[in-house]
Amino acid sequence: MTVGGPTFDLVVAANRLPVDRVVDAEGVSGWQRSPGGLVTAMEPVMRGRDAAWVGWAGEPGTAPEPFSQDGLHLYPVGLSFLEVQEYYEGFSNDTLWPIYHDVIVKASFERTWWNTYRTVNLRFAQAIVEVAAPGATVWVHDYHLQLVPAMVRSIRDDVRIGWFDHIPFPPVELFAQLPWRRAVVEGLLGADFLGFQRSADAKNFLRVCRRLLGMATEGDTVTFTPPGDGPSARRTVRASAIPISVDFKGLDALARTPPVVARAAEIRASLGNPEILMLGVDRLDYTKGIRHRLRAYEELLQEKAIIPPKVTLMQVALPSRERVDAYRVLREEVEATVGRINGEYSSLGSPAVHYLHQSYPRTEMVAMFLAADIMLVTPLRDGMNLVAKEYVTCRHDLGGALVLSEFTGAWHELHQAFTCNPHDIEGVKQTIMRAITDPPDQRRRRMKALRTHVADHDVQRWACLYLESLASAPMAPHRPTRASDRERRDDERANRANLRASDKASEGTGQ
Ligand code: F6P
């Protein structure tokens, strides 16, 4: 990291830099934009601003020198092989991730992992303060860096600090399992403003402050005295929901380009031009409900409600966290299930499931979205799920239909989706069939409404709202508050209607 180098008014810090190292056929190495929700959301926000991004370059070893790529000023943080194991794979993805996702798999508690998490968070904090200009805004992202806000504040009290939680924040009963729960909350409370995907997440956090740490909360704020400080150091921090979104304009424009439209047709042709192409695109993660989705699909095949190759499923499983046990087990189970389904229901040249365990460039993903008649987004728990928003953004033709789990953040906004409870297999089957059989004009109406919502709530608006909220914290910014109150009431009304619709889908099924 450079000492005495350039400084920036906005510093973003996330576990990963927005680029991955790639080596071309000639062995020349370079950087390319990495996949993943956070990067997709933040990249358009950073572009055009004089801002720095602090993050890990994605490989163990010494950090590369700071560099600029496509107008982004990137400051790599180095992680040793052991730190990758203990801070990233261990504490972040085998302790925090399960706790923050309803303990779908058991969380592991290892004291050495916690120590490494602290060490790495401190390294990030030091890197941030070196590039933050006096009075800068520091925007920290995600569960990997929850101690960073307090660490930055302890070194630099001139900067404004925000943190955004891209994943759910768990109910107090689950968060309470974490042996280091107090330190995590105190780490977060170094921020001026804490942003969450849903108001339920913000409320969970405030409840944790009140119930576990005995702090005073009022509305969406918590007031406390930092540990070791006198009463004059009392601070108030605001915690509220600002749901993330996608770059609607950029993605919509990409989906309209002739090569992408042509590629979508080519994808369909290569699958034998099915009448109905269903698509799932997920990181291969146990939170995504891939097993439940495959089970529902298999039962529909068994019951002959759908018959390949007229109807087919393409499941893209993006490789993820492959050295963590729970992910290895998931991969084995998913691949065994796909093998069983294909063995039973495929015919020569027409598999019932087209399974792809690979990453794809953005244009190819957009073409897949354009090609798919039914998009299956069925997580058991998901902070937002940007795939759902990306899909509707790409459907400028108003074609397609979105099947969406009510356990995603996206469900709280995308009220015109076909909603389902992924645990209710019978309900998922009914919802898929409803999405298939809904009259085309109604599907188009739904898609139009979904697109309007995402167009009006794009990632640029999210970033503006976030930065306004951070600037005015602990007070709520004036303009958005009234709008978001109204929006919240509308959302709550629509959510209730959604729940009734998804219950109706299961009615009479004995579930
Ligand atoms: O959504 C949570 C998140 O950790 C993002 O920060 C990240 O983009 C995505 O999941 C991918 O995870 P990983 O960085 O572990 O590959």
Side-chain angles (χ1 to χ4, degrees), residues 59-61 79-86 89 323:
E59 291 165 351
L79 297 181
S80 69
F81 187 74
L82 187 67
E83 286 169 342
V84 173
Q85 277 184 335
E86 297 190 345
E89 292 165 354
R323 288 150 38 87

Side-chain angles (χ1 to χ4, degrees), residues 86-394:
E86 297 190 345
Y87 146 79
Y88 169 70
E89 292 165 354
F91 198 77
S92 297
N93 288 318
D94 207 10
T95 304
L96 294 172
W97 184 267
I99 290 193
Y100 284 39
H101 288 89
D102 294 355
V103 197
I104 296 167
V105 305
K106 212 167 126 309
S108 307
F109 301 115
E110 296 286 343
R111 280 166 280 188
T112 50
W113 294 357
W114 163 247
N115 288 334
T116 308
Y117 182 79
R118 265 200 320 215
T119 306
V120 171
N121 271 241
L122 186 58
R123 191 171 308 147
F124 269 83
Q126 282 159 344
I128 291 166
V129 299
E130 278 178 26
V131 293
T137 295
V138 173
W139 189 355
V140 183
H141 290 263
D142 239 347
Y143 59 104
H144 316 84
L145 302 179
Q146 294 178 97
L147 308 182
V148 167
M151 287 171 168
V152 169
R153 184 170 295 282
S154 71
I155 314 173
R156 286 276 298 273
D157 62 4
D158 61 302
V159 294
R160 271 201 103 61
I161 307 167
W163 177 78
F164 185 78
D165 185 18
H166 290 255
I167 65 173
F169 196 88
V172 61
E173 294 77 8
L174 296 182
F175 187 78
Q177 290 184 12
L178 192 63
W180 308 279
R181 60 201 188 187
R182 175 177 281 274
V184 168
V185 175
E186 287 171 354
L188 290 173
L189 288 175
D192 297 287
F193 176 66
L194 300 167
F196 296 86
Q197 301 280 25
R198 304 171 307 153
S199 52
D201 297 311
K203 283 185 185 139
N204 283 346
F205 175 77
L206 292 165
R207 219 170 279 139
V208 160
C209 293
R210 206 167 49 239
R211 295 234 198 115
L212 292 183
L213 279 81
M215 293 171 173
T217 64
E218 193 186 341
D220 54 8
T221 62
V222 51
T223 301
F224 63 100
T225 306
D229 286 340
S232 61
R234 258 173 100 71
R235 299 182 52 242
T236 297
V237 173
R238 182 161 173 259
S240 81
I242 303 198
I244 199 168
S245 193
V246 295
D247 176 16
F248 184 88
K249 283 198 193 77
L251 201 53
D252 174 67
L254 180 59
R256 290 174 193 268
T257 55
V260 169
V261 174
R263 177 66 193 141
E266 209 173 274
I267 291 172
R268 289 187 72 92
S270 69
L271 299 173
N273 280 318
E275 278 169 28
I276 301 287
L277 171 59
M278 297 201 258
L279 174 66
V281 174
D282 313 83
R283 270 189 317 100
L284 189 44
D285 194 304
Y286 51 81
T287 58
K288 303 291 184 186
I290 302 171
R291 285 176 286 208
H292 296 64
R293 184 184 312 160
L294 288 173
R295 201 169 142 209
Y297 182 63
E298 186 173 20
E299 287 189 17
L300 287 172
L301 291 168
Q302 260 162 16
E303 293 160 12
K304 299 200 175 354
I306 55 178
I307 300 171
K310 272 198 198 154
V311 179
T312 192
L313 169 65
M314 182 158 116
Q315 176 64 55
V316 178
L318 307 167
S320 185
R321 305 173 191 168
E322 295 187 291
R323 288 150 38 87
V324 178
D325 273 348
Y327 290 76
R328 272 200 275 250
V329 170
L330 173 73
R331 182 171 176 191
E332 280 165 19
E333 286 179 7
V334 165
E335 294 185 354
T337 307
V338 169
R340 187 180 64 231
I341 296 175
N342 277 339
E344 198 76 34
Y345 300 102
S346 300
S347 50
L348 267 185
S350 307
V353 185
H354 299 261
Y355 173 75
L356 302 155
H357 181 250
Q358 293 162 45
S359 296
Y360 290 92
R362 189 145 188 78
T363 46
E364 183 70 359
M365 303 291 285
V366 171
M368 286 180 192
F369 291 148
L370 259 185
D373 301 294
I374 312 282
M375 184 78 213
L376 301 176
V377 180
T378 59
L380 307 179
R381 178 60 72 197
D382 209 334
M384 172 51 64
N385 198 291
L386 288 176
V387 166
K389 291 187 175 179
E390 286 173 349
Y391 177 68
V392 302
T393 299
C394 291

